[in-house]
Amino acid sequence: MRLGLIGASLLAMTCALSACEVKTTTASNTQQPAAAAAPAAAPTGWTTTTAGQLRKAIAARGAHGLDRMSFDASAQPGAGDDALTKAALAYGKALSQGATDPTKLFDVYTVPRPQVDLGRGLAAALQAGDVGKWLAGLAPQDENYARLSKAYLATPKWEQTPASAIPDTGKPIKPGEADPRVPAIAHQLVAFDYLDKAAAQGDRLTPAMILAIKKMQADYGIKPDGMIGSAALGILNLSDADRARAIAVNMERLRWLDRNAPTTRIDVNLAAARLSYWRDGKLVDSRKVVVGEPDKETPQLGSPIFRLVANPTWTVPRSVEKKEMAGKGAGYLRANNLAWKNGWLVQQSGPKNSLGLVKFDMSNEHAIYLHDTPAKQLFAEIQRQRSHGCVRVEDALGFAELLAKDEGVTDQWHAARATGKETFVKLPKEIPVRLLYQTVLFDDAGEPVIRADPYGWNDRVAVALGLGTSASYKPAARDADVGP
């Protein structure tokens, strides 16, 4: 089954205006996101009607996965105007910018976020007597956000959620055995991209399912025996609570994003290791990428490509030099086309260069960029979190050719490649790139599909939303090449 790229197709809106304290309310969780100050000139003029509209909107916050958070709008108009304003601005911020701040949740987060004047918007809504309409327009309006909302509302309430969706009887399911749990197992193998949908048939572990199970086991550091035991079930099991938590977190991530995303851009979903290229508002290309390992995560950045680099050289970072090249002799350096230059190890141009034959230079302070790679075999992996942090692009030369054509620099690009030396081709216009993290994709029918959380980044968002944590599994560390 082919899955649409949520990171490439979803638009969201957030705002920069700070809001007031928002408390999470759950039976077992009393986490409180940090408070922020209200605007200096708070809107006034609440009426019984507008106060009722605010309460009605807040009562329906479950449509946005915010039902575990409290926005107190119990005050009455008049003496309680300030309290109503505080609640309206807090809820408005949650809808338009997110109930959490990604720059505080993550060490690095520079993806563009929208600027919305909530104070002015609320004042206008109070004057028009329609606070409900104003609030309804703050959340993302696209179809996929609506699908997530619908799926979240359809999930059973937390208190009714079973401990696990696929029961663990203590007896492993062996290859070839029939078991009533196999259809649910096959469904999750499809969702995780290990199994083709056409092969997910029947109640018996077929050869195709066994192969998929072995691949998954190898990725997660489990003995690849093709049997479904407790460890494999732990990876595949998604209770209704897990599903609801993932959907709510992904809605929150969408609320962080600028709703007016550039019509021409490149989106990379780090969780799914997929790239999407949009041109003039249309998706024109999608391909696999390899991103940072779980302990060398690719950060969530907004950073444009400003030039193509043909036949790039690679200056080895100090961290890689010290950890992975320390003590290497002259033979190793010659074999890998490495030489010292001004105190740095530099790998010369060529097909064996760790950057391959093309680098997509990006403007950011983190030395993160897109590039080719000689390690083509990694694109066949399901879990493609295998780099030192940069993004390796499948058929990077083909992608460079596409960008060069679209930007009108094909002749310059061909001439640069023909030199055989590191040569730069500046793009007439920078192409915005967003490195995102989305663990919910959509299948061909438009239904949400919960994918793996390879960096384990969902929990910190879920906790801030009052949703607690899940028993998540991360892919095991694997030996990787020294490339970025």
Side-chain angles (χ1 to χ4, degrees):
M1 174 176 62
R2 299 180 63 185
L3 299 175
L5 293 179
I6 188 171
S9 60
L10 296 182
L11 301 178
M13 177 179 181
T14 55
C15 75
L17 187 66
S18 61
C20 307
E21 183 178 83
V22 181
K23 296 181 179 180
T24 62
T25 56
T26 73
S28 59
N29 191 316
T30 57
Q31 303 285 340
Q32 295 188 15
T44 58
W46 287 91
T47 66
T48 301
T49 298
T50 53
Q53 294 167 351
L54 173 61
R55 296 187 192 105
K56 182 178 179 181
I58 291 175
R61 65 192 182 280
H64 305 283
L66 297 172
D67 46 329
R68 307 288 271 187
M69 307 192 80
S70 176
F71 305 85
D72 186 3
S74 61
Q76 298 302 313
D81 276 9
D82 286 349
L84 290 170
T85 295
K86 180 178 178 180
L89 290 175
Y91 189 52
K93 177 182 180 293
L95 295 177
S96 61
Q97 188 182 15
T100 62
D101 183 347
T103 66
K104 295 179 180 178
L105 291 175
F106 300 94
D107 292 336
V108 178
Y109 190 96
T110 66
V111 180
R113 304 175 70 194
Q115 305 294 317
V116 177
D117 191 334
L118 288 178
R120 181 174 296 180
L122 177 56
L126 288 171
Q127 185 175 9
D130 202 341
V131 172
K133 181 179 180 181
W134 170 67
L135 288 170
L138 293 178
Q141 304 294 307
D142 62 280
E143 184 178 4
N144 283 339
Y145 186 88
R147 287 170 174 166
L148 288 175
S149 174
K150 180 180 179 181
Y152 183 83
L153 290 173
T155 304
K157 297 300 180 183
W158 301 86
E159 294 78 7
Q160 303 169 350
T161 301
S164 62
I166 309 173
D168 185 356
T169 64
K171 178 183 177 182
I173 307 173
K174 298 179 181 179
E177 285 187 349
D179 191 284
R181 296 171 291 174
V182 167
I185 291 167
H187 176 80
Q188 280 307 115
L189 288 170
V190 171
F192 281 21
D193 235 12
Y194 285 102
L195 183 67
D196 188 86
K197 186 177 181 180
Q201 306 293 330
D203 62 355
R204 188 178 300 275
L205 287 185
T206 65
M209 293 180 193
I210 295 165
L211 180 61
I213 293 165
K214 287 182 177 180
K215 286 182 179 179
M216 182 192 73
Q217 289 171 323
D219 281 345
Y220 285 85
I222 302 171
K223 180 181 178 181
D225 55 14
M227 294 193 297
I228 295 291
S230 296
L233 281 178
I235 298 167
L236 292 170
N237 244 329
L238 276 181
S239 68
D240 285 333
D242 294 329
R243 177 179 172 83
R245 187 179 293 107
I247 291 172
V249 166
N250 279 263
M251 281 196 284
E252 175 73 354
R253 289 182 180 278
L254 297 178
R255 291 190 292 264
W256 293 342
L257 301 179
D258 187 351
R259 188 168 291 167
N260 300 309
T263 56
T264 294
R265 68 183 187 277
I266 294 168
D267 284 345
V268 177
N269 184 344
L270 305 176
R274 297 283 311 196
L275 174 152
S276 300
Y277 172 39
W278 294 80
R279 191 82 189 181
D280 299 325
K282 295 181 179 180
L283 180 63
V284 296
D285 188 75
S286 174
R287 61 187 64 213
K288 297 176 182 178
V289 295
V290 173
V291 298
E293 295 178 289
D295 61 343
K296 302 178 182 69
E297 298 95 340
T298 303
Q300 298 167 91
L301 296 181
S303 175
I305 293 174
F306 67 95
R307 67 183 179 187
L308 304 178
V309 184
N311 313 304
T313 61
W314 179 45
T315 300
V316 180
R318 293 295 190 203
S319 59
V320 176
E321 175 195 327
K322 293 177 180 178
K323 292 181 180 179
E324 302 182 39
M325 295 187 181
K328 300 293 185 182
Y332 175 87
L333 299 184
R334 284 195 301 272
N336 289 278
N337 206 15
L338 288 159
W340 290 99
K341 184 176 181 181
N342 299 324
W344 292 83
L345 268 180
V346 178
Q347 191 175 40
Q348 303 306 305
S349 301
K352 293 184 179 180
N353 184 282
S354 294
L355 304 185
L357 294 173
V358 57
K359 175 184 177 184
F360 305 84
D361 241 344
M362 294 166 60
S363 299
N364 63 77
E365 61 182 283
H366 305 285
I368 297 295
Y369 46 84
L370 278 60
H371 65 92
D372 187 17
T373 176
K376 311 294 186 187
Q377 72 279 3
L378 294 182
F379 295 110
E381 299 285 341
I382 304 301
Q383 301 292 342
R384 293 186 297 279
Q385 288 73 30
R386 299 288 299 277
S387 82
H388 279 72
C390 285
V391 179
R392 308 176 186 186
V393 181
E394 183 181 36
D395 184 20
L397 283 176
F399 190 54
E401 189 77 18
L402 176 60
L403 294 187
K405 178 182 177 182
D406 287 347
E407 293 297 318
V409 294
T410 299
D411 291 344
Q412 296 96 309
W413 172 243
H414 289 170
R417 283 206 62 203
T419 66
K421 300 178 181 180
E422 184 172 64
T423 309
F424 306 99
V425 178
K426 186 177 180 179
L427 299 179
K429 292 186 297 184
E430 294 182 342
I431 301 176
V433 178
R434 303 188 305 175
L435 305 183
L436 308 171
Y437 192 83
Q438 298 285 358
T439 62
V440 180
L441 307 184
F442 291 87
D443 63 19
D444 294 333
E447 291 300 313
V449 177
I450 313 301
R451 295 292 302 273
D453 177 15
Y455 290 167
W457 280 354
N458 279 356
D459 274 354
R460 65 186 73 177
V461 184
V463 168
L465 295 175
L467 304 176
T469 61
S470 61
S472 59
Y473 289 76
K474 297 195 330 187
R478 311 261 306 261
D479 289 336
D481 54 70
V482 297

Coordinates of all heavy atoms in Angstrom, one line a residue, residues 4-6 9-10 63 140-155 243 247-248 251 254 440-450:
G4 N 0.3 8.3 1.4 CA 0.5 9.7 1.1 C 1.4 10.3 2.2 O 1.4 9.9 3.4
L5 N 2.2 11.3 1.8 CA 3.1 11.9 2.8 C 2.5 13.0 3.5 O 2.2 14.1 3.0 CB 4.4 12.5 2.0 CG 5.2 11.4 1.4 CD1 6.4 12.0 0.7 CD2 5.7 10.5 2.5
I6 N 2.2 12.7 4.8 CA 1.5 13.8 5.6 C 2.3 15.0 5.7 O 1.8 16.1 5.6 CB 1.1 13.2 7.0 CG1 0.2 14.2 7.7 CG2 2.4 12.9 7.8 CD1 -0.3 13.6 9.0
S9 N 1.7 17.1 2.6 CA 0.3 17.5 2.1 C -0.5 18.2 3.1 O -1.5 18.7 2.8 CB -0.4 16.2 1.7 OG -0.5 15.3 2.8
L10 N 0.0 18.3 4.3 CA -0.8 19.0 5.4 C -0.3 20.4 5.6 O 0.9 20.7 5.6 CB -0.6 18.2 6.7 CG -1.2 16.8 6.7 CD1 -1.1 16.2 8.1 CD2 -2.6 16.8 6.3
A63 N -12.2 17.8 19.4 CA -12.1 17.7 17.9 C -10.6 18.1 17.5 O -10.2 17.8 16.4 CB -13.0 18.7 17.2
P140 N -6.2 24.6 11.8 CA -5.9 24.2 10.4 C -7.2 23.8 9.7 O -8.1 23.1 10.3 CB -5.0 23.0 10.5 CG -4.3 23.2 11.7 CD -5.3 23.8 12.7
Q141 N -7.4 24.2 8.4 CA -8.6 24.0 7.7 C -8.5 23.0 6.6 O -9.5 22.7 5.9 CB -9.1 25.4 7.1 CG -9.2 26.5 8.1 CD -10.3 26.3 9.1 OE1 -11.5 26.0 8.7 NE2 -10.0 26.4 10.4
D142 N -7.4 22.4 6.5 CA -7.2 21.4 5.3 C -7.9 20.1 5.6 O -8.3 19.8 6.7 CB -5.7 21.2 5.0 CG -5.0 20.6 6.2 OD1 -4.7 21.3 7.2 OD2 -4.8 19.4 6.2
E143 N -8.0 19.3 4.6 CA -8.8 18.1 4.6 C -8.1 17.0 5.5 O -8.8 16.3 6.3 CB -8.9 17.5 3.2 CG -9.8 16.2 3.2 CD -9.9 15.7 1.7 OE1 -9.3 16.3 0.8 OE2 -10.7 14.7 1.6
N144 N -6.8 16.9 5.5 CA -6.1 15.9 6.3 C -6.2 16.2 7.8 O -6.3 15.3 8.6 CB -4.7 15.8 5.9 CG -4.5 15.0 4.6 OD1 -5.4 14.2 4.2 ND2 -3.4 15.2 3.9
Y145 N -6.2 17.5 8.2 CA -6.4 17.8 9.6 C -7.8 17.4 10.0 O -8.0 16.9 11.1 CB -6.2 19.3 9.8 CG -6.3 19.7 11.3 CD1 -5.1 19.7 12.1 CD2 -7.5 20.1 11.9 CE1 -5.2 20.1 13.4 CE2 -7.5 20.5 13.2 CZ -6.4 20.5 14.0 OH -6.4 20.9 15.3
A146 N -8.8 17.6 9.1 CA -10.2 17.2 9.4 C -10.3 15.7 9.6 O -11.0 15.2 10.4 CB -11.1 17.7 8.3
R147 N -9.5 15.0 8.8 CA -9.5 13.5 8.9 C -8.9 13.1 10.2 O -9.4 12.1 10.8 CB -8.7 12.9 7.7 CG -9.4 13.0 6.4 CD -8.5 12.6 5.3 NE -9.1 12.5 4.0 CZ -8.5 12.4 2.8 NH1 -7.2 12.5 2.8 NH2 -9.2 12.4 1.7
L148 N -7.8 13.7 10.6 CA -7.3 13.4 11.9 C -8.2 13.7 13.0 O -8.4 12.9 14.0 CB -6.0 14.2 12.1 CG -4.7 13.8 11.3 CD1 -3.6 14.8 11.6 CD2 -4.3 12.4 11.7
S149 N -8.9 14.8 12.9 CA -9.9 15.2 13.9 C -11.0 14.1 14.0 O -11.4 13.7 15.1 CB -10.5 16.5 13.6 OG -11.6 16.9 14.5
K150 N -11.5 13.7 12.9 CA -12.6 12.7 12.8 C -12.1 11.4 13.4 O -12.8 10.7 14.2 CB -13.0 12.5 11.4 CG -14.1 11.5 11.2 CD -14.5 11.3 9.7 CE -15.6 10.3 9.5 NZ -15.9 10.1 8.1
A151 N -10.9 11.0 13.1 CA -10.3 9.7 13.7 C -10.2 9.8 15.2 O -10.4 8.9 15.9 CB -9.0 9.4 13.0
Y152 N -9.7 11.0 15.7 CA -9.5 11.1 17.1 C -10.9 11.0 17.8 O -11.0 10.4 18.9 CB -8.9 12.5 17.4 CG -8.5 12.6 18.9 CD1 -7.4 12.1 19.4 CD2 -9.4 13.4 19.7 CE1 -7.1 12.2 20.8 CE2 -9.1 13.5 21.0 CZ -8.0 13.0 21.6 OH -7.7 13.1 22.9
L153 N -11.9 11.7 17.3 CA -13.2 11.7 17.9 C -13.8 10.3 17.9 O -14.6 9.9 18.8 CB -14.1 12.6 17.2 CG -13.8 14.1 17.4 CD1 -14.7 15.0 16.6 CD2 -14.0 14.5 18.9
A154 N -13.4 9.5 16.9 CA -14.0 8.1 16.8 C -13.3 7.1 17.7 O -13.8 6.0 17.8 CB -13.9 7.7 15.3
T155 N -12.2 7.5 18.2 CA -11.4 6.5 19.1 C -12.1 6.4 20.4 O -12.5 7.4 21.0 CB -10.0 7.1 19.3 OG1 -9.4 7.2 18.0 CG2 -9.2 6.1 20.1
R243 N -3.2 4.9 19.6 CA -3.7 5.5 18.4 C -4.1 7.0 18.6 O -3.8 7.9 17.9 CB -4.8 4.7 17.8 CG -5.4 5.2 16.5 CD -6.5 4.3 16.0 NE -7.2 4.9 14.9 CZ -6.9 4.8 13.6 NH1 -5.7 4.2 13.3 NH2 -7.6 5.4 12.7
I247 N -2.4 10.5 17.1 CA -3.2 11.4 16.3 C -3.2 12.8 16.9 O -3.1 13.8 16.2 CB -4.6 10.8 16.1 CG1 -4.6 9.6 15.2 CG2 -5.6 11.9 15.5 CD1 -6.0 8.9 15.1
A248 N -3.4 12.8 18.2 CA -3.4 14.1 18.9 C -2.1 14.9 18.7 O -2.0 16.1 18.5 CB -3.8 14.0 20.3
M251 N -1.8 16.2 15.2 CA -2.6 17.5 15.0 C -1.8 18.7 15.7 O -1.8 19.7 15.1 CB -3.9 17.3 15.7 CG -4.9 16.5 14.8 SD -6.6 16.7 15.3 CE -6.7 15.7 16.8
L254 N 0.9 19.9 13.4 CA 0.4 20.6 12.3 C 0.0 22.0 12.7 O 0.1 23.0 11.9 CB -0.8 19.9 11.7 CG -0.6 18.5 11.1 CD1 -1.8 17.9 10.6 CD2 0.5 18.6 10.0
V440 N 2.0 10.0 11.6 CA 0.7 9.6 11.0 C 0.6 10.0 9.6 O 0.7 11.1 9.2 CB -0.5 10.2 11.8 CG1 -1.8 9.7 11.2 CG2 -0.4 9.9 13.3
L441 N 0.5 9.0 8.7 CA 0.3 9.2 7.3 C -1.1 8.8 6.9 O -1.9 8.5 7.7 CB 1.3 8.3 6.5 CG 2.8 8.5 6.9 CD1 3.7 7.6 6.0 CD2 3.2 9.9 6.9
F442 N -1.4 8.8 5.6 CA -2.7 8.5 5.1 C -2.6 7.5 4.0 O -1.7 7.5 3.1 CB -3.4 9.8 4.6 CG -3.8 10.7 5.7 CD1 -2.9 11.7 6.1 CD2 -5.0 10.7 6.3 CE1 -3.2 12.6 7.1 CE2 -5.3 11.5 7.3 CZ -4.4 12.5 7.7
D443 N -3.5 6.5 4.1 CA -3.5 5.4 3.1 C -4.3 5.9 1.8 O -4.7 7.1 1.8 CB -4.1 4.1 3.6 CG -5.5 4.2 4.0 OD1 -6.2 5.2 3.6 OD2 -6.0 3.3 4.8
D444 N -4.4 5.1 0.8 CA -5.1 5.5 -0.4 C -6.5 5.9 -0.2 O -7.1 6.6 -1.0 CB -5.0 4.3 -1.4 CG -3.5 4.1 -1.8 OD1 -2.7 5.0 -1.8 OD2 -3.2 2.9 -2.2
A445 N -7.1 5.4 0.9 CA -8.5 5.7 1.1 C -8.7 7.0 2.0 O -9.8 7.4 2.4 CB -9.2 4.6 1.8
G446 N -7.5 7.6 2.3 CA -7.5 8.8 3.2 C -7.6 8.5 4.7 O -7.9 9.4 5.4
E447 N -7.4 7.3 5.1 CA -7.5 6.9 6.5 C -6.2 7.1 7.2 O -5.1 6.8 6.6 CB -8.0 5.5 6.7 CG -9.5 5.3 6.2 CD -10.4 6.1 7.0 OE1 -10.3 6.1 8.3 OE2 -11.3 6.8 6.4
P448 N -6.2 7.6 8.4 CA -4.9 7.8 9.1 C -4.2 6.4 9.4 O -4.9 5.4 9.8 CB -5.3 8.4 10.4 CG -6.6 9.0 10.1 CD -7.3 8.1 9.2
V449 N -2.9 6.3 9.2 CA -2.2 5.1 9.5 C -1.0 5.5 10.4 O -0.3 6.4 10.2 CB -1.5 4.6 8.2 CG1 -0.7 3.4 8.5 CG2 -2.6 4.2 7.2
I450 N -1.0 4.8 11.6 CA 0.0 5.2 12.6 C 1.3 4.5 12.3 O 1.4 3.2 12.1 CB -0.5 4.7 14.0 CG1 -1.9 5.2 14.2 CG2 0.5 5.3 15.1 CD1 -2.1 6.6 14.2

